[in-house]
Coordinates of all heavy atoms in Angstrom, one line a residue:
M1 N 14.0 -10.2 -1.9 CA 13.0 -9.2 -2.0 C 13.1 -8.5 -3.4 O 13.9 -7.5 -3.5 CB 13.2 -8.2 -0.9 CG 11.9 -7.5 -0.5 SD 11.1 -8.3 0.8 CE 12.3 -8.0 2.1
N2 N 12.4 -9.0 -4.4 CA 12.7 -8.4 -5.7 C 11.8 -7.3 -6.1 O 11.9 -6.7 -7.2 CB 12.6 -9.5 -6.8 CG 11.2 -10.1 -7.0 OD1 10.3 -9.8 -6.2 ND2 11.0 -10.9 -8.0
A3 N 10.9 -6.9 -5.1 CA 10.0 -5.7 -5.5 C 9.5 -5.0 -4.3 O 9.5 -5.5 -3.1 CB 8.8 -6.2 -6.3
S4 N 9.1 -3.8 -4.5 CA 8.3 -3.1 -3.5 C 7.3 -2.2 -4.2 O 7.5 -1.9 -5.4 CB 9.2 -2.2 -2.5 OG 9.9 -1.2 -3.2
V5 N 6.2 -1.9 -3.5 CA 5.2 -1.1 -4.2 C 4.8 0.0 -3.2 O 4.8 -0.2 -2.0 CB 3.9 -1.9 -4.6 CG1 4.2 -2.9 -5.7 CG2 3.2 -2.5 -3.4
A6 N 4.3 1.1 -3.7 CA 3.7 2.1 -2.9 C 2.3 2.2 -3.5 O 2.1 2.4 -4.7 CB 4.4 3.5 -3.0
I7 N 1.3 2.1 -2.6 CA -0.1 2.2 -3.1 C -0.9 3.2 -2.3 O -0.8 3.3 -1.1 CB -0.8 0.8 -3.0 CG1 -2.2 0.8 -3.4 CG2 -0.6 0.2 -1.6 CD1 -2.8 -0.6 -3.7
Q8 N -1.6 4.0 -3.1 CA -2.4 5.1 -2.6 C -3.8 4.8 -3.1 O -4.1 4.9 -4.3 CB -1.9 6.5 -3.1 CG -2.8 7.6 -2.6 CD -2.3 9.0 -3.2 OE1 -2.1 9.1 -4.4 NE2 -2.1 9.9 -2.3
V9 N -4.7 4.5 -2.1 CA -6.1 4.4 -2.5 C -6.9 5.7 -2.1 O -6.8 6.1 -1.0 CB -6.7 3.2 -1.7 CG1 -8.2 3.0 -2.0 CG2 -6.0 1.9 -2.1
L10 N -7.6 6.2 -3.1 CA -8.3 7.4 -2.9 C -9.8 7.1 -3.1 O -10.3 7.1 -4.3 CB -7.9 8.5 -3.9 CG -6.4 8.9 -3.8 CD1 -6.0 9.9 -4.8 CD2 -6.1 9.5 -2.4
P11 N -10.5 6.9 -2.0 CA -12.0 6.6 -2.2 C -12.7 7.8 -2.7 O -12.4 8.9 -2.3 CB -12.4 6.3 -0.7 CG -11.1 5.9 0.0 CD -10.1 6.8 -0.6
S12 N -13.6 7.6 -3.6 CA -14.4 8.7 -4.1 C -15.6 8.9 -3.2 O -16.8 8.7 -3.6 CB -14.9 8.3 -5.6 OG -13.9 8.1 -6.4
V13 N -15.3 9.4 -2.0 CA -16.3 9.8 -1.1 C -16.0 11.2 -0.5 O -14.9 11.6 -0.5 CB -16.4 8.8 0.1 CG1 -16.9 7.4 -0.4 CG2 -15.1 8.7 0.9
Q14 N -17.0 11.9 -0.1 CA -16.9 13.3 0.4 C -16.3 13.3 1.8 O -15.4 14.1 2.1 CB -18.2 14.0 0.3 CG -18.6 14.5 -1.1 CD -17.6 15.5 -1.6 OE1 -17.1 16.4 -0.9 NE2 -17.2 15.3 -2.9
D15 N -16.9 12.5 2.7 CA -16.7 12.6 4.1 C -15.3 12.1 4.4 O -14.9 11.0 4.1 CB -17.8 11.8 4.8 CG -17.6 11.8 6.3 OD1 -17.2 12.9 6.8 OD2 -17.9 10.8 7.0
E16 N -14.5 13.0 5.1 CA -13.1 12.6 5.5 C -13.0 11.4 6.4 O -12.1 10.6 6.3 CB -12.5 13.8 6.2 CG -11.8 14.8 5.2 CD -11.0 15.9 6.0 OE1 -11.0 15.8 7.2 OE2 -10.5 16.7 5.3
E17 N -14.0 11.3 7.3 CA -14.0 10.2 8.2 C -14.3 8.9 7.5 O -13.8 7.8 7.9 CB -15.1 10.3 9.3 CG -14.7 11.4 10.4 CD -13.3 11.2 11.0 OE1 -13.0 10.1 11.4 OE2 -12.6 12.2 11.1
E18 N -15.0 9.0 6.4 CA -15.3 7.8 5.6 C -14.0 7.4 4.8 O -13.7 6.2 4.7 CB -16.5 8.1 4.6 CG -17.0 7.0 3.8 CD -17.6 5.8 4.6 OE1 -17.6 5.8 5.8 OE2 -18.1 4.9 3.9
V19 N -13.3 8.4 4.3 CA -12.0 8.1 3.7 C -11.1 7.3 4.6 O -10.6 6.3 4.3 CB -11.3 9.4 3.2 CG1 -9.9 9.1 2.8 CG2 -12.1 10.1 2.1
I20 N -11.0 7.8 5.9 CA -10.2 7.2 6.9 C -10.6 5.8 7.1 O -9.8 4.8 7.2 CB -10.1 8.0 8.2 CG1 -9.3 9.3 7.9 CG2 -9.5 7.3 9.3 CD1 -9.4 10.4 9.0
R21 N -11.9 5.6 7.3 CA -12.5 4.2 7.6 C -12.1 3.3 6.5 O -11.7 2.1 6.7 CB -14.0 4.3 7.8 CG -14.6 3.0 8.2 CD -16.1 3.1 8.2 NE -16.7 3.2 6.9 CZ -16.9 2.2 6.1 NH1 -16.4 1.0 6.4 NH2 -17.5 2.3 4.9
I22 N -12.3 3.7 5.2 CA -12.0 2.8 4.1 C -10.5 2.5 4.0 O -10.1 1.4 3.8 CB -12.6 3.4 2.8 CG1 -14.1 3.3 2.9 CG2 -12.2 2.6 1.6 CD1 -14.8 4.3 2.0
V23 N -9.7 3.6 4.1 CA -8.2 3.4 4.0 C -7.8 2.5 5.1 O -6.9 1.6 4.9 CB -7.5 4.7 4.0 CG1 -6.0 4.5 4.1 CG2 -7.8 5.5 2.7
D24 N -8.4 2.6 6.3 CA -8.0 1.8 7.4 C -8.3 0.3 7.1 O -7.5 -0.6 7.5 CB -8.9 2.1 8.7 CG -8.3 3.3 9.4 OD1 -7.2 3.8 9.1 OD2 -9.0 3.8 10.4
E25 N -9.4 0.0 6.4 CA -9.7 -1.4 6.0 C -8.6 -1.9 5.1 O -8.2 -3.0 5.2 CB -11.1 -1.4 5.3 CG -12.3 -1.1 6.2 CD -12.7 -2.3 7.0 OE1 -12.2 -3.4 6.8 OE2 -13.6 -2.1 7.9
V26 N -8.2 -1.0 4.2 CA -7.2 -1.5 3.2 C -5.9 -1.7 3.9 O -5.2 -2.7 3.7 CB -7.0 -0.4 2.1 CG1 -5.8 -0.7 1.2 CG2 -8.3 -0.2 1.3
I27 N -5.5 -0.8 4.8 CA -4.3 -1.0 5.6 C -4.3 -2.3 6.5 O -3.4 -3.0 6.6 CB -3.9 0.3 6.4 CG1 -3.6 1.4 5.5 CG2 -2.7 0.0 7.4 CD1 -3.5 2.8 6.1
D28 N -5.5 -2.5 7.1 CA -5.7 -3.7 7.9 C -5.5 -5.0 7.0 O -4.9 -6.0 7.4 CB -7.1 -3.8 8.5 CG -7.2 -2.9 9.7 OD1 -6.2 -2.4 10.2 OD2 -8.4 -2.7 10.1
Y29 N -6.0 -4.9 5.8 CA -5.8 -6.0 4.8 C -4.3 -6.2 4.5 O -3.7 -7.3 4.6 CB -6.5 -5.8 3.5 CG -6.0 -6.6 2.4 CD1 -6.1 -8.0 2.5 CD2 -5.3 -6.1 1.3 CE1 -5.5 -8.8 1.5 CE2 -4.7 -6.9 0.3 CZ -4.9 -8.2 0.4 OH -4.3 -9.0 -0.5
I30 N -3.6 -5.1 4.2 CA -2.1 -5.1 3.9 C -1.4 -5.8 5.1 O -0.5 -6.6 5.0 CB -1.6 -3.7 3.6 CG1 -2.1 -3.3 2.3 CG2 -0.1 -3.7 3.6 CD1 -1.9 -1.8 1.9
K31 N -1.8 -5.3 6.3 CA -1.2 -5.9 7.6 C -1.4 -7.4 7.6 O -0.5 -8.1 8.0 CB -1.9 -5.2 8.8 CG -1.2 -5.4 10.1 CD -1.9 -4.5 11.1 CE -1.3 -4.6 12.5 NZ -1.9 -3.8 13.5
S32 N -2.6 -7.8 7.2 CA -2.9 -9.3 7.3 C -2.1 -10.1 6.4 O -2.1 -11.4 6.6 CB -4.4 -9.5 7.1 OG -4.7 -9.4 5.7
T33 N -1.5 -9.5 5.4 CA -0.7 -10.4 4.5 C 0.6 -10.8 5.1 O 1.3 -11.7 4.6 CB -0.3 -9.5 3.2 OG1 0.6 -8.5 3.5 CG2 -1.5 -9.0 2.5
G34 N 1.0 -10.2 6.2 CA 2.3 -10.6 6.9 C 3.5 -10.0 6.3 O 4.6 -10.3 6.8
L35 N 3.4 -9.2 5.2 CA 4.6 -8.6 4.6 C 5.0 -7.4 5.4 O 4.2 -6.8 6.1 CB 4.3 -8.3 3.1 CG 4.0 -9.5 2.2 CD1 3.9 -8.9 0.8 CD2 5.2 -10.5 2.2
N36 N 6.3 -7.0 5.1 CA 6.7 -5.7 5.8 C 6.1 -4.6 5.0 O 6.1 -4.5 3.8 CB 8.2 -5.6 5.7 CG 8.8 -4.5 6.6 OD1 8.3 -4.3 7.7 ND2 9.7 -3.8 6.1
Y37 N 5.5 -3.6 5.8 CA 4.9 -2.5 5.2 C 5.1 -1.2 6.0 O 5.6 -1.3 7.2 CB 3.3 -2.7 5.0 CG 2.6 -2.7 6.4 CD1 2.0 -1.6 6.9 CD2 2.6 -3.9 7.1 CE1 1.3 -1.6 8.1 CE2 2.0 -3.9 8.4 CZ 1.4 -2.8 8.8 OH 0.8 -2.8 10.1
Y38 N 4.9 -0.1 5.4 CA 5.2 1.2 6.0 C 4.1 2.2 5.6 O 3.9 2.5 4.4 CB 6.6 1.7 5.5 CG 7.0 3.0 6.0 CD1 7.7 3.1 7.2 CD2 6.7 4.2 5.3 CE1 8.2 4.4 7.6 CE2 7.2 5.4 5.7 CZ 7.9 5.5 6.9 OH 8.3 6.7 7.3
V39 N 3.3 2.6 6.6 CA 2.2 3.6 6.3 C 2.8 5.0 6.3 O 3.4 5.4 7.3 CB 1.1 3.4 7.3 CG1 0.0 4.4 7.1 CG2 0.6 2.0 7.3
G40 N 2.5 5.7 5.3 CA 2.8 7.2 5.2 C 1.6 8.0 5.1 O 0.5 7.4 5.0
P41 N 1.7 9.3 5.2 CA 0.5 10.1 5.1 C -0.3 10.1 3.8 O -1.4 10.4 3.7 CB 1.0 11.5 5.4 CG 2.4 11.5 5.1 CD 2.9 10.1 5.4
C42 N 0.5 9.7 2.7 CA -0.2 9.7 1.4 C -0.3 8.3 0.8 O -1.1 8.2 -0.1 CB 0.7 10.5 0.4 SG 0.8 12.3 0.9
E43 N 0.4 7.4 1.3 CA 0.4 6.0 0.6 C 1.0 5.0 1.6 O 1.6 5.4 2.6 CB 1.3 6.0 -0.6 CG 2.7 6.4 -0.4 CD 3.5 6.7 -1.6 OE1 2.9 6.9 -2.7 OE2 4.8 6.8 -1.5
T44 N 0.8 3.7 1.3 CA 1.5 2.7 2.1 C 2.4 1.9 1.2 O 2.1 1.6 0.0 CB 0.4 1.7 2.6 OG1 -0.4 2.4 3.5 CG2 1.1 0.5 3.4
S45 N 3.7 1.7 1.6 CA 4.6 0.9 0.9 C 4.7 -0.5 1.5 O 4.6 -0.7 2.7 CB 6.0 1.6 1.0 OG 6.0 2.9 0.5
I46 N 4.9 -1.5 0.6 CA 5.0 -2.9 0.9 C 6.1 -3.5 0.2 O 6.4 -3.2 -1.0 CB 3.7 -3.6 0.5 CG1 2.4 -2.8 0.7 CG2 3.6 -5.0 1.3 CD1 1.2 -3.4 0.0
E47 N 6.9 -4.4 0.8 CA 8.0 -5.1 0.1 C 7.7 -6.6 0.1 O 7.2 -7.1 1.1 CB 9.3 -4.7 0.7 CG 9.5 -4.9 2.1 CD 10.8 -4.3 2.7 OE1 11.4 -3.5 2.0 OE2 11.1 -4.5 3.9
G48 N 8.2 -7.2 -1.0 CA 8.0 -8.6 -1.1 C 8.3 -9.1 -2.5 O 8.9 -8.5 -3.3
D49 N 7.7 -10.3 -2.7 CA 7.9 -10.9 -4.1 C 6.9 -10.2 -5.1 O 5.8 -9.9 -4.7 CB 7.5 -12.4 -3.9 CG 7.2 -13.1 -5.2 OD1 8.2 -13.3 -5.9 OD2 6.0 -13.4 -5.5
Y50 N 7.4 -10.0 -6.3 CA 6.6 -9.2 -7.3 C 5.2 -9.8 -7.5 O 4.3 -9.0 -7.5 CB 7.4 -9.2 -8.6 CG 6.8 -8.5 -9.7 CD1 6.6 -7.1 -9.6 CD2 6.3 -9.2 -10.8 CE1 5.9 -6.4 -10.6 CE2 5.7 -8.5 -11.9 CZ 5.5 -7.1 -11.8 OH 4.9 -6.4 -12.8
D51 N 5.1 -11.1 -7.7 CA 3.8 -11.6 -8.0 C 2.8 -11.5 -6.8 O 1.6 -11.1 -7.0 CB 3.9 -13.1 -8.4 CG 4.5 -13.3 -9.8 OD1 4.5 -12.4 -10.6 OD2 5.0 -14.4 -10.0
T52 N 3.4 -11.7 -5.6 CA 2.5 -11.5 -4.4 C 2.1 -10.1 -4.3 O 0.9 -9.8 -4.0 CB 3.4 -11.9 -3.2 OG1 4.0 -13.2 -3.4 CG2 2.6 -11.8 -1.9
L53 N 3.0 -9.2 -4.6 CA 2.6 -7.7 -4.4 C 1.5 -7.3 -5.5 O 0.6 -6.6 -5.1 CB 3.8 -6.9 -4.6 CG 4.9 -6.9 -3.4 CD1 6.1 -6.1 -3.8 CD2 4.2 -6.5 -2.1
M54 N 1.6 -7.9 -6.7 CA 0.6 -7.5 -7.7 C -0.7 -8.1 -7.3 O -1.8 -7.4 -7.5 CB 1.0 -8.1 -9.1 CG 2.3 -7.5 -9.7 SD 2.1 -5.7 -9.9 CE 3.0 -5.1 -8.5
E55 N -0.8 -9.2 -6.6 CA -2.0 -9.8 -6.1 C -2.6 -8.9 -5.0 O -3.8 -8.6 -5.0 CB -1.7 -11.2 -5.6 CG -2.9 -12.1 -5.4 CD -3.6 -12.4 -6.8 OE1 -2.9 -12.5 -7.8 OE2 -4.8 -12.6 -6.8
I56 N -1.7 -8.4 -4.2 CA -2.1 -7.5 -3.1 C -2.7 -6.2 -3.6 O -3.7 -5.7 -3.2 CB -1.0 -7.3 -2.1 CG1 -0.7 -8.6 -1.3 CG2 -1.3 -6.2 -1.1 CD1 0.6 -8.6 -0.5
V57 N -2.0 -5.7 -4.6 CA -2.5 -4.4 -5.3 C -3.9 -4.7 -5.8 O -4.8 -3.8 -5.7 CB -1.5 -4.0 -6.4 CG1 -2.2 -2.9 -7.3 CG2 -0.2 -3.5 -5.8
K58 N -4.1 -5.8 -6.5 CA -5.4 -6.1 -7.0 C -6.5 -6.2 -5.9 O -7.6 -5.6 -6.0 CB -5.3 -7.5 -7.8 CG -6.6 -7.9 -8.4 CD -6.4 -9.3 -9.0 CE -7.8 -9.8 -9.5 NZ -7.8 -11.2 -9.9
N59 N -6.1 -6.8 -4.8 CA -7.1 -7.1 -3.7 C -7.4 -5.8 -3.0 O -8.5 -5.7 -2.4 CB -6.5 -8.1 -2.7 CG -6.5 -9.5 -3.3 OD1 -7.3 -9.8 -4.2 ND2 -5.7 -10.4 -2.8
C60 N -6.6 -4.8 -3.0 CA -6.8 -3.6 -2.2 C -8.2 -2.9 -2.7 O -9.0 -2.5 -1.9 CB -5.7 -2.6 -2.4 SG -4.3 -3.0 -1.3
Q61 N -8.4 -2.9 -4.0 CA -9.7 -2.4 -4.5 C -10.9 -3.2 -4.1 O -11.9 -2.6 -3.7 CB -9.7 -2.3 -6.1 CG -8.9 -1.2 -6.7 CD -7.4 -1.3 -6.4 OE1 -6.8 -0.4 -5.7 NE2 -6.8 -2.4 -6.8
L62 N -10.7 -4.5 -4.1 CA -11.8 -5.4 -3.7 C -12.1 -5.2 -2.2 O -13.3 -5.2 -1.8 CB -11.4 -6.9 -4.0 CG -11.0 -7.1 -5.4 CD1 -10.7 -8.6 -5.6 CD2 -12.1 -6.7 -6.4
V63 N -11.1 -5.0 -1.4 CA -11.3 -4.8 0.1 C -12.0 -3.5 0.3 O -13.0 -3.4 1.1 CB -9.9 -4.8 0.8 CG1 -10.0 -4.2 2.2 CG2 -9.3 -6.2 0.8
A64 N -11.6 -2.4 -0.4 CA -12.3 -1.1 -0.3 C -13.7 -1.2 -0.7 O -14.6 -0.7 -0.1 CB -11.5 -0.1 -1.1
A65 N -14.0 -1.9 -1.8 CA -15.3 -2.1 -2.3 C -16.2 -2.8 -1.3 O -17.3 -2.5 -1.1 CB -15.3 -2.8 -3.7
K66 N -15.6 -3.9 -0.7 CA -16.3 -4.7 0.3 C -16.7 -3.8 1.5 O -17.6 -4.0 2.2 CB -15.5 -5.9 0.7 CG -16.4 -7.0 1.3 CD -15.6 -8.3 1.4 CE -16.4 -9.3 2.2 NZ -15.6 -10.4 2.6
A67 N -15.8 -2.8 1.8 CA -16.0 -1.9 2.9 C -17.1 -0.8 2.6 O -17.3 0.1 3.4 CB -14.7 -1.2 3.3
G68 N -17.6 -0.9 1.3 CA -18.7 0.0 1.0 C -18.3 1.1 0.1 O -19.1 2.0 -0.2
C69 N -17.0 1.1 -0.4 CA -16.6 2.2 -1.3 C -16.9 1.8 -2.7 O -16.3 0.9 -3.3 CB -15.0 2.3 -1.1 SG -14.3 3.6 -2.1
K70 N -17.9 2.6 -3.3 CA -18.4 2.2 -4.6 C -17.4 2.6 -5.7 O -17.4 1.9 -6.8 CB -19.7 2.9 -4.8 CG -20.8 2.3 -4.0 CD -22.2 2.7 -4.5 CE -23.3 2.0 -3.8 NZ -23.6 2.5 -2.4
A71 N -16.6 3.6 -5.5 CA -15.6 4.0 -6.5 C -14.4 4.6 -5.9 O -14.5 5.2 -4.8 CB -16.3 5.0 -7.5
M72 N -13.3 4.4 -6.5 CA -12.0 4.9 -6.0 C -11.0 5.1 -7.1 O -11.2 4.5 -8.2 CB -11.5 3.9 -5.0 CG -10.9 2.6 -5.6 SD -11.1 1.2 -4.5 CE -12.8 0.8 -4.5
N73 N -10.0 5.8 -6.9 CA -8.8 5.9 -7.8 C -7.6 5.4 -7.0 O -7.4 5.8 -5.8 CB -8.6 7.3 -8.3 CG -9.7 7.7 -9.3 OD1 -9.8 7.1 -10.4 ND2 -10.5 8.6 -8.9
T74 N -6.9 4.5 -7.6 CA -5.7 4.0 -6.9 C -4.4 4.3 -7.7 O -4.4 4.1 -8.9 CB -5.8 2.5 -6.6 OG1 -7.0 2.2 -5.9 CG2 -4.6 1.9 -5.9
Y75 N -3.4 4.8 -7.0 CA -2.1 5.1 -7.7 C -1.1 4.1 -7.1 O -0.9 4.0 -5.9 CB -1.8 6.5 -7.5 CG -2.8 7.4 -8.1 CD1 -3.9 7.8 -7.4 CD2 -2.7 7.8 -9.4 CE1 -4.9 8.6 -7.9 CE2 -3.7 8.6 -10.0 CZ -4.8 9.0 -9.2 OH -5.8 9.8 -9.8
V76 N -0.3 3.5 -8.0 CA 0.7 2.5 -7.6 C 2.0 2.8 -8.2 O 2.1 3.2 -9.4 CB 0.2 1.1 -8.1 CG1 1.2 0.0 -7.6 CG2 -1.2 0.7 -7.6
K77 N 3.0 2.7 -7.4 CA 4.4 2.9 -7.8 C 5.1 1.5 -7.6 O 4.9 0.9 -6.5 CB 5.1 4.0 -7.1 CG 4.6 5.3 -7.4 CD 5.2 6.4 -6.6 CE 4.2 7.0 -5.7 NZ 4.7 8.1 -4.8
I78 N 5.9 1.1 -8.5 CA 6.6 -0.2 -8.4 C 8.1 -0.1 -8.5 O 8.6 0.5 -9.4 CB 6.1 -1.2 -9.5 CG1 4.5 -1.3 -9.4 CG2 6.8 -2.5 -9.4 CD1 3.9 -2.0 -10.7
S79 N 8.8 -0.7 -7.6 CA 10.2 -0.9 -7.7 C 10.4 -2.4 -8.0 O 9.9 -3.2 -7.2 CB 11.0 -0.6 -6.4 OG 10.9 0.8 -6.2
Y80 N 11.2 -2.7 -9.0 CA 11.3 -4.1 -9.4 C 12.8 -4.4 -9.8 O 13.4 -3.5 -10.5 CB 10.4 -4.5 -10.5 CG 10.6 -5.9 -11.1 CD1 10.2 -7.0 -10.4 CD2 11.3 -6.0 -12.3 CE1 10.4 -8.3 -10.9 CE2 11.5 -7.3 -12.8 CZ 11.1 -8.4 -12.1 OH 11.3 -9.7 -12.6
K81 N 13.3 -5.5 -9.5 CA 14.7 -5.9 -9.9 C 14.6 -7.3 -10.4 O 14.2 -8.2 -9.6 CB 15.6 -5.7 -8.7 CG 17.0 -5.2 -9.1 CD 17.8 -4.8 -7.9 CE 19.2 -4.5 -8.3 NZ 20.0 -4.1 -7.2
A82 N 15.0 -7.5 -11.6 CA 14.9 -8.8 -12.2 C 15.8 -9.8 -11.6 O 15.5 -11.0 -11.4 CB 15.2 -8.8 -13.7
E83 N 17.0 -9.3 -11.2 CA 18.0 -10.2 -10.5 C 18.5 -9.4 -9.3 O 18.8 -8.3 -9.4 CB 19.2 -10.5 -11.4 CG 18.8 -11.6 -12.4 CD 19.8 -11.8 -13.5 OE1 21.0 -11.4 -13.3 OE2 19.3 -12.1 -14.6
G84 N 18.4 -10.1 -8.2 CA 18.9 -9.5 -6.9 C 17.7 -8.8 -6.2 O 16.6 -8.9 -6.6
D85 N 18.1 -8.0 -5.2 CA 17.1 -7.4 -4.3 C 16.9 -5.9 -4.6 O 17.9 -5.2 -4.9 CB 17.5 -7.6 -2.9 CG 17.5 -9.1 -2.5 OD1 16.7 -9.9 -3.1 OD2 18.3 -9.5 -1.6
V86 N 15.7 -5.4 -4.4 CA 15.5 -4.0 -4.4 C 16.0 -3.4 -3.0 O 16.1 -4.2 -2.1 CB 14.0 -3.6 -4.6 CG1 13.5 -4.0 -6.0 CG2 13.1 -4.2 -3.5
L87 N 16.2 -2.1 -2.9 CA 16.5 -1.5 -1.6 C 15.3 -1.8 -0.7 O 14.2 -1.6 -1.1 CB 16.7 0.0 -1.8 CG 18.1 0.5 -2.3 CD1 18.0 2.0 -2.5 CD2 19.2 0.1 -1.4
T88 N 15.6 -2.1 0.5 CA 14.5 -2.3 1.5 C 13.9 -1.0 1.9 O 14.6 0.1 1.9 CB 15.0 -3.0 2.7 OG1 16.0 -2.2 3.4 CG2 15.6 -4.4 2.4
I89 N 12.7 -1.0 2.4 CA 12.1 0.2 3.0 C 12.9 0.7 4.1 O 13.2 1.9 4.2 CB 10.6 -0.2 3.5 CG1 9.7 -0.5 2.3 CG2 10.1 1.0 4.3 CD1 8.4 -1.1 2.7
D90 N 13.4 -0.2 4.9 CA 14.2 0.1 6.1 C 15.4 0.9 5.7 O 15.7 2.0 6.3 CB 14.6 -1.2 6.8 CG 15.3 -0.9 8.1 OD1 14.7 -0.1 8.9 OD2 16.4 -1.4 8.4
K91 N 16.1 0.5 4.7 CA 17.3 1.2 4.2 C 17.0 2.5 3.7 O 17.8 3.5 3.8 CB 18.1 0.3 3.2 CG 19.4 0.9 2.8 CD 20.4 -0.2 2.4 CE 21.8 0.5 2.3 NZ 22.8 -0.4 1.8
K92 N 15.8 2.7 3.1 CA 15.5 3.9 2.5 C 15.0 5.0 3.5 O 15.2 6.2 3.3 CB 14.4 3.7 1.4 CG 14.8 3.1 0.1 CD 13.6 2.9 -0.8 CE 13.9 2.4 -2.1 NZ 12.7 2.0 -2.9
V93 N 14.3 4.5 4.6 CA 13.7 5.6 5.4 C 14.2 5.7 6.8 O 14.1 6.8 7.4 CB 12.2 5.4 5.5 CG1 11.5 5.3 4.1 CG2 11.8 4.1 6.3
T94 N 14.8 4.6 7.4 CA 15.1 4.7 8.8 C 16.0 5.8 9.2 O 15.8 6.5 10.2 CB 15.7 3.3 9.3 OG1 14.7 2.3 9.0 CG2 15.9 3.3 10.8
K95 N 17.1 6.1 8.4 CA 18.0 7.1 8.8 C 17.4 8.5 8.8 O 18.0 9.4 9.3 CB 19.3 7.0 7.9 CG 19.0 7.5 6.5 CD 20.3 7.4 5.7 CE 20.0 7.7 4.2 NZ 21.1 7.2 3.3
H96 N 16.2 8.6 8.1 CA 15.6 9.9 8.1 C 14.6 10.2 9.2 O 14.0 11.3 9.3 CB 14.9 10.1 6.7 CG 15.8 10.0 5.5 ND1 16.8 10.9 5.3 CD2 15.9 9.0 4.6 CE1 17.5 10.5 4.2 NE2 17.0 9.4 3.8
H97 N 14.4 9.2 10.0 CA 13.4 9.3 11.1 C 13.9 10.3 12.1 O 15.0 10.3 12.5 CB 13.1 8.0 11.7 CG 12.2 7.1 10.9 ND1 12.0 5.8 11.1 CD2 11.4 7.4 9.9 CE1 11.2 5.3 10.2 NE2 10.8 6.3 9.5
Q98 N 13.0 11.2 12.5 CA 13.4 12.2 13.5 C 13.2 11.7 14.9 O 12.4 10.9 15.2 CB 12.5 13.5 13.3 CG 12.9 14.2 12.0 CD 11.9 15.3 11.8 OE1 10.7 15.2 11.9 NE2 12.5 16.5 11.4
Ligands
VIB101 C1 -3.3 2.4 0.8 C2 -3.2 3.8 1.4 N1 -2.3 4.0 2.4 C3 -2.3 5.2 3.0 C4 -3.0 6.3 2.5 C5 -2.9 7.7 3.1 N2 -4.0 7.9 4.0 C6 -5.2 8.4 3.6 S1 -6.2 8.5 4.9 C7 -5.1 7.8 5.9 C8 -5.5 7.6 7.4 C9 -5.9 6.2 7.7 O1 -6.1 6.0 9.0 C10 -3.9 7.6 5.3 C11 -2.7 7.0 6.0 C12 -3.8 6.0 1.3 N3 -4.6 7.0 0.8 N4 -3.9 4.8 0.8

């Protein structure tokens, strides 16, 4: 696992329910990739191979657009390790769960 990303899609729409609907579509897409992911209140984290993750990041905008979102801003954070593995999502968050 040489990379993980955190992706926050912010649809440029007024209605909160519409934001939720579009983000749900993006999360459903992320789920469909079969990679391990973690949904948080502000962003979704995914872990996997770097090239695969970059493709997924690219597709998230296309999925939102297909769901009817004409404009959005997306913020992406990347953890990458050239040799060896990045810390897993599990190792980073599980011990903090209440
Ligand atoms: C990719 C991505 N994942 C999570 C959020 C945060 N978020 C915004 S609305 C909502 C509820 C969806 O049912 C969640 C979890 C985001 N903005 N973009």
